[in-house]
Coordinates of all heavy atoms in Angstrom, one line a residue:
R830 N -46.8 195.8 -89.9 CA -46.1 195.0 -90.9 C -47.1 194.1 -91.6 O -47.0 193.9 -92.8 CB -45.0 194.1 -90.2 CG -44.3 193.1 -91.1 CD -43.4 192.2 -90.4 NE -44.1 191.4 -89.4 CZ -43.5 190.5 -88.6 NH1 -42.2 190.3 -88.7 NH2 -44.2 189.8 -87.7
E831 N -48.0 193.6 -90.9 CA -49.0 192.7 -91.4 C -49.9 193.4 -92.4 O -50.2 192.9 -93.5 CB -49.8 192.0 -90.3 CG -51.0 191.2 -90.7 CD -51.9 190.8 -89.6 OE1 -51.4 190.6 -88.4 OE2 -53.1 190.6 -89.8
I832 N -50.5 194.5 -92.0 CA -51.5 195.2 -92.8 C -50.8 195.8 -94.1 O -51.5 196.0 -95.1 CB -52.3 196.2 -92.1 CG1 -51.4 197.3 -91.5 CG2 -53.1 195.5 -91.0 CD1 -52.2 198.4 -90.7
R833 N -49.6 196.1 -94.0 CA -48.9 196.7 -95.1 C -48.1 195.7 -95.9 O -47.5 196.0 -97.0 CB -47.9 197.8 -94.7 CG -48.6 199.1 -94.2 CD -49.5 199.7 -95.2 NE -49.9 201.1 -94.9 CZ -50.9 201.7 -95.5 NH1 -51.6 201.2 -96.4 NH2 -51.2 203.0 -95.1
S834 N -48.0 194.5 -95.4 CA -47.2 193.4 -96.1 C -45.8 193.9 -96.3 O -45.2 193.7 -97.4 CB -47.8 193.0 -97.4 OG -49.1 192.4 -97.1
N835 N -45.2 194.6 -95.3 CA -43.9 195.3 -95.5 C -43.0 194.9 -94.3 O -43.2 195.5 -93.2 CB -44.1 196.8 -95.6 CG -42.7 197.5 -95.9 OD1 -41.7 196.9 -95.8 ND2 -42.8 198.7 -96.3
P836 N -42.1 193.9 -94.5 CA -41.3 193.5 -93.4 C -40.3 194.5 -92.8 O -39.9 194.4 -91.7 CB -40.5 192.3 -93.9 CG -40.6 192.4 -95.4 CD -41.9 193.1 -95.7
T837 N -40.0 195.6 -93.6 CA -39.1 196.6 -93.2 C -39.7 197.4 -92.0 O -38.9 198.0 -91.2 CB -38.7 197.6 -94.3 OG1 -39.9 198.4 -94.6 CG2 -38.3 196.9 -95.5
I838 N -41.0 197.4 -91.8 CA -41.5 198.1 -90.7 C -41.0 197.6 -89.3 O -40.7 198.4 -88.4 CB -43.1 198.0 -90.7 CG1 -43.6 198.9 -91.8 CG2 -43.7 198.5 -89.4 CD1 -45.1 198.8 -92.0
L839 N -40.7 196.3 -89.2 CA -40.2 195.8 -88.0 C -38.8 196.2 -87.7 O -38.3 196.0 -86.6 CB -40.4 194.3 -88.0 CG -40.5 193.6 -86.6 CD1 -41.7 194.2 -85.8 CD2 -40.7 192.1 -86.7
S840 N -38.1 196.7 -88.7 CA -36.7 197.2 -88.5 C -36.7 198.4 -87.6 O -35.6 198.8 -87.1 CB -36.0 197.5 -89.9 OG -36.7 198.6 -90.5
N841 N -37.8 199.0 -87.3 CA -37.9 200.1 -86.4 C -37.8 199.6 -84.9 O -37.8 200.5 -84.0 CB -39.1 200.9 -86.6 CG -39.1 201.6 -88.0 OD1 -38.4 202.5 -88.2 ND2 -40.0 201.2 -88.9
W842 N -37.8 198.3 -84.7 CA -37.7 197.8 -83.4 C -36.2 197.4 -83.1 O -35.7 196.4 -83.6 CB -38.6 196.5 -83.2 CG -38.4 195.9 -81.9 CD1 -37.8 194.8 -81.5 CD2 -38.9 196.4 -80.6 NE1 -37.9 194.5 -80.2 CE2 -38.6 195.5 -79.6 CE3 -39.7 197.6 -80.3 CZ2 -38.9 195.8 -78.2 CZ3 -40.0 197.8 -78.9 CH2 -39.6 196.9 -77.9
N843 N -35.5 198.3 -82.5 CA -34.1 198.1 -82.2 C -33.7 198.7 -80.9 O -32.8 199.5 -80.8 CB -33.2 198.6 -83.4 CG -33.6 200.1 -83.7 OD1 -34.3 200.7 -83.0 ND2 -33.0 200.6 -84.8
P844 N -34.3 198.2 -79.8 CA -33.9 198.7 -78.5 C -32.6 198.3 -78.0 O -32.1 197.2 -78.5 CB -35.0 198.2 -77.6 CG -35.4 196.9 -78.2 CD -35.3 197.1 -79.7
S845 N -32.0 199.0 -77.1 CA -30.7 198.7 -76.6 C -30.9 197.5 -75.5 O -31.7 197.7 -74.6 CB -30.0 199.9 -75.9 OG -28.9 199.4 -75.2
K846 N -30.2 196.4 -75.7 CA -30.3 195.3 -74.8 C -29.0 195.1 -74.1 O -28.6 193.9 -73.7 CB -30.7 194.1 -75.6 CG -32.1 194.2 -76.2 CD -32.5 192.9 -76.9 CE -33.9 193.1 -77.6 NZ -34.3 191.8 -78.3
K847 N -28.2 196.1 -73.9 CA -26.9 196.0 -73.1 C -27.2 195.8 -71.6 O -28.0 196.5 -71.0 CB -26.1 197.2 -73.3 CG -25.6 197.4 -74.8 CD -24.7 198.7 -74.9 CE -24.2 198.8 -76.3 NZ -23.4 200.1 -76.5
G848 N -26.5 194.8 -71.1 CA -26.7 194.6 -69.6 C -27.8 193.6 -69.4 O -28.8 193.5 -70.1
W849 N -27.7 192.8 -68.3 CA -28.7 191.7 -68.0 C -30.0 192.3 -67.7 O -31.1 191.6 -68.0 CB -28.1 190.8 -66.9 CG -28.0 191.5 -65.6 CD1 -26.9 192.2 -65.1 CD2 -29.0 191.6 -64.5 NE1 -27.2 192.6 -63.8 CE2 -28.5 192.3 -63.5 CE3 -30.3 191.1 -64.4 CZ2 -29.2 192.6 -62.3 CZ3 -31.0 191.4 -63.3 CH2 -30.5 192.1 -62.2
K850 N -30.1 193.5 -67.1 CA -31.4 194.0 -66.8 C -32.2 194.3 -68.0 O -33.4 194.0 -68.1 CB -31.3 195.3 -65.9 CG -30.8 195.0 -64.5 CD -30.8 196.3 -63.7 CE -30.4 196.0 -62.2 NZ -30.4 197.3 -61.4
N851 N -31.6 195.0 -69.0 CA -32.2 195.3 -70.3 C -32.6 194.0 -71.0 O -33.7 193.9 -71.6 CB -31.3 196.1 -71.1 CG -31.5 197.6 -70.8 OD1 -32.5 198.0 -70.2 ND2 -30.6 198.4 -71.3

Side-chain angles (χ1 to χ4, degrees):
R830 176 187 60 179
E831 175 189 327
I832 61 178
R833 290 300 194 196
S834 299
N835 187 344
T837 69
I838 287 177
L839 207 55
S840 67
N841 293 292
W842 178 253
N843 49 9
S845 172
K846 297 182 182 179
K847 293 181 179 178
W849 65 269
K850 288 185 179 179
N851 273 343

